[in-house]
Amino acid sequence: MNNRKIPKYMQLKQELLSWLQSGKLQPGAQFPSENEISEQFGLSRQTVRQTFGELEKDGWLERIQGKGTFARNPQRREGEQVKTIGIITTYISDYIFPHIVRGAEAELRSRGYRLLLSSTDNTKEKEMEALQLMTSQPLSGLIIEPTRSAEGNPNLRYFLDLQEKGIPYLMINEKYRELECPCLKVNDESGGYQAARYLLDAGHRYIAGFFKTDDLQGVGRLKGFLAAHKERGISVASNRVVTYTTEQKQDLPYREAVKLLKAMNSPEGERPTAFVCYNDELALLLMEAAAECGLRVPEDLSLIGFDDSSLAAASGTKLTTLTHPKTEMGIAAARQLIGMIEQGALFEDTVYEPELIERDSVVRRS
C-alpha cells in the first residue's frame, strides 16, 4: 500500500477487490467500516470513502442506511450486457504499468465499463489464478499481458476457455505465438538495433548488452542488438551478452557488469565502453555498478535504456533511451477491445516503432 506511482485510492480498491474476487468476503457479508479500513491500511478517511464510492459505483458494494456496507457480486441482469473488462498484467504498480493501466481505465470509464485489475508478478501460477478469477464472474472481455512469454504457455486451456465462452481478448507488449488474438506491442527488435547502431555510430566498438530473456520483448531486443553488429561486420564476444531471468534481475546483471568493467588485465580497449540495457530500470542499476568500479557515466561508460520511463529523467545523468507508448497503448487496447465486444470488429497486430531519445548518458568516442 506504499507505492506512490498509483493513487492510494486505486491501490486500496485493488486490494479490496482481491478480497471479493478470492471469496475472502462473500456476497452479502458485511464490509469493514471506513474507520476500520482506514486504521488497517494507514489511510485517511477521505481516501477510504473515495474507494468505497468507486466500488459502490462499480456494483461491488451496497450501502444500507443504518446497517452498514455489504459485499455484493455484480451480476448480469436478464437482457443486460455485461460491462466489465479485466486487465491482467505482470505488474500493476511498478515501472511503466501504471501509465498503461491509467490509459485503459480512462477510456473504459468513458464508455461505461467497469475495470477489474489483476497482476501475475510475472509467474505462470499467478497468471493461472488471475485467469480463473476473471472468468469466474460475468466478463465482457480481457486485456492480457502474457507472463514470461518466451517460456511457453502452460495456461493455454484457460485461453481456449475464453474462446469457447465467446469472451474477446487481446494482448499487450507481446503474445503467445499459438494464439490468434490482436496484440499491441513495441517493435523490440528495432529498438535493440537502434540502440546498438547509435553507439556504433558514436565510435563505440566494445559494447555489452544486457537482456531479460524469459519474455519475448527481451529476445527481440537482443536480436536487434546482434543484427546491428552483424551489419557492421563486428563480432560480439560471448561475455559481452548477458542474459538473465526475472528472478535474477536484481543481482546477476549487476555482478556481470562489475566483472566486465573490472577486467583491467585485458587491453584497455577491450573493456566495454557502452552498455545497451533491457530497460531503464536496469540501466539505473548498472549506473551504480559503474560507480562501484570508479567509472563515470557518460565519460567512462555510455548507457542506453528502453521504455522512456519516468526513471530516465530522474537520475543525475539523464538517460538516453527508446520510447514505449504506455498511456497510448492502454487507450488503444481499451478501444480495440470495446470494438471487438460491441461490433465484433477484427484487428491486426498494432506495432509501435520506438524512437531513440537522446539525453546525457552517451558520449562520442574518437
Side-chain angles (χ1 to χ4, degrees):
M1 294 297 301
N2 59 357
N3 193 296
R4 297 180 181 178
K5 297 178 183 178
I6 274 187
K8 289 181 179 179
Y9 82 87
M10 191 171 170
Q11 293 184 58
L12 178 61
K13 178 182 177 182
Q14 293 314 125
E15 177 65 26
L16 300 184
L17 270 176
S18 74
W19 293 5
L20 297 162
Q21 294 168 2
S22 67
K24 180 178 177 180
L25 272 177
Q26 296 290 333
Q30 186 164 7
F31 221 78
S33 68
E34 289 181 4
N35 275 335
E36 290 170 329
I37 295 292
S38 177
E39 290 177 8
Q40 181 175 348
F41 292 101
L43 297 172
S44 69
R45 283 282 302 279
Q46 182 179 354
T47 297
V48 177
R49 191 172 298 118
Q50 183 179 6
T51 302
F52 275 27
E54 291 273 327
L55 292 170
E56 184 178 19
K57 182 169 62 176
D58 288 350
W60 291 98
L61 297 184
E62 181 181 14
R63 303 192 204 215
I64 302 176
Q65 191 168 3
K67 294 186 177 180
T69 303
F70 295 83
R72 61 187 298 268
N73 191 354
Q75 296 293 325
R76 184 203 303 249
R77 296 190 190 97
E78 190 172 350
E80 180 186 30
Q81 182 190 14
V82 177
K83 298 282 282 186
T84 301
I85 285 177
I87 298 182
I88 299 174
T89 60
T90 49
Y91 304 100
I92 292 174
S93 302
D94 295 333
Y95 196 49
I96 63 172
F97 297 100
H99 300 280
I100 298 173
V101 170
R102 285 191 196 120
E105 182 184 36
E107 183 64 22
L108 293 174
R109 284 193 177 280
S110 73
R111 300 288 293 273
Y113 283 83
R114 302 184 186 102
L115 172 63
L116 295 180
L117 282 176
S118 186
S119 68
T120 67
D121 292 331
N122 215 26
T123 69
K124 296 290 191 182
E125 294 78 10
K126 288 189 177 180
E127 180 184 66
M128 179 185 68
E129 292 169 6
L131 287 165
Q132 287 175 328
L133 281 172
M134 288 288 185
T135 55
S136 67
Q137 54 206 301
L139 197 67
S140 303
L142 268 174
I143 297 170
I144 304 161
E145 183 197 25
T147 292
R148 298 176 184 260
S149 53
E151 295 186 349
N153 182 14
N155 297 319
L156 175 62
R157 56 171 290 197
Y158 298 100
F159 293 101
L160 296 179
D161 285 345
L162 289 173
Q163 295 176 5
E164 188 176 1
K165 292 175 181 177
I167 299 174
Y169 67 92
L170 55 76
M171 294 192 170
I172 57 172
N173 289 330
E174 258 301 346
K175 71 177 177 182
Y176 294 122
R177 295 301 195 221
E178 72 275 16
L179 296 176
E180 292 294 332
C181 67
C183 176
L184 296 89
K185 58 168 287 182
V186 170
N187 187 339
D188 293 295
E189 184 175 341
S190 172
Y193 172 86
Q194 287 184 57
R197 185 187 65 181
Y198 182 77
L199 291 168
L200 291 167
D201 287 345
H204 294 270
R205 290 297 176 270
Y206 299 101
I207 306 168
F210 296 76
F211 303 96
K212 188 165 80 71
T213 52
D214 53 4
D215 61 56
L216 290 169
Q217 296 97 300
V219 174
R221 293 170 193 184
L222 169 56
K223 187 176 180 181
F225 173 85
L226 295 174
H229 282 82
K230 183 178 180 180
E231 181 181 83
R232 298 295 176 87
I234 298 173
S235 62
V236 180
S238 60
N239 69 330
R240 291 206 299 273
V241 174
V242 178
T243 61
Y244 62 97
T245 64
T246 300
E247 291 83 4
Q248 298 169 325
K249 70 178 184 178
Q250 295 299 332
D251 49 21
L252 189 148
Y254 188 97
R255 289 199 314 269
E256 292 300 314
V258 169
K259 188 186 302 182
L260 283 167
L261 295 174
K262 284 187 173 180
M264 303 306 284
N265 293 330
S266 60
E268 177 65 18
E270 292 188 8
R271 176 174 61 75
T273 60
F275 287 168
V276 172
C277 305
Y278 168 74
N279 63 13
D280 296 343
E281 189 174 44
L282 179 65
L284 263 63
L285 182 66
L286 299 191
M287 279 189 188
E288 296 177 15
E292 179 181 324
C293 298
L295 300 175
R296 300 163 299 165
V297 174
E299 292 87 350
D300 304 311
L301 179 71
S302 292
L303 283 158
I304 295 183
F306 207 115
D307 294 329
D308 193 23
S309 68
S310 57
L311 299 175
S315 62
T317 302
K318 309 305 180 192
L319 188 63
T320 296
T321 186
L322 287 129
T323 58
H324 184 294
K326 297 182 279 292
T327 304
E328 179 187 348
M329 178 183 283
I331 293 170
R335 286 178 179 168
Q336 284 193 20
L337 187 57
I338 291 170
M340 293 165 69
I341 294 165
E342 296 183 357
Q343 287 92 39
L346 301 175
F347 293 94
E348 300 292 331
D349 289 353
T350 302
V351 181
Y352 298 91
E353 191 64 29
E355 297 179 8
L356 191 130
I357 306 296
E358 299 180 60
R359 294 200 178 97
D360 305 330
S361 63
V362 175
V363 292
R364 177 170 291 278
R365 295 184 67 84
S366 55

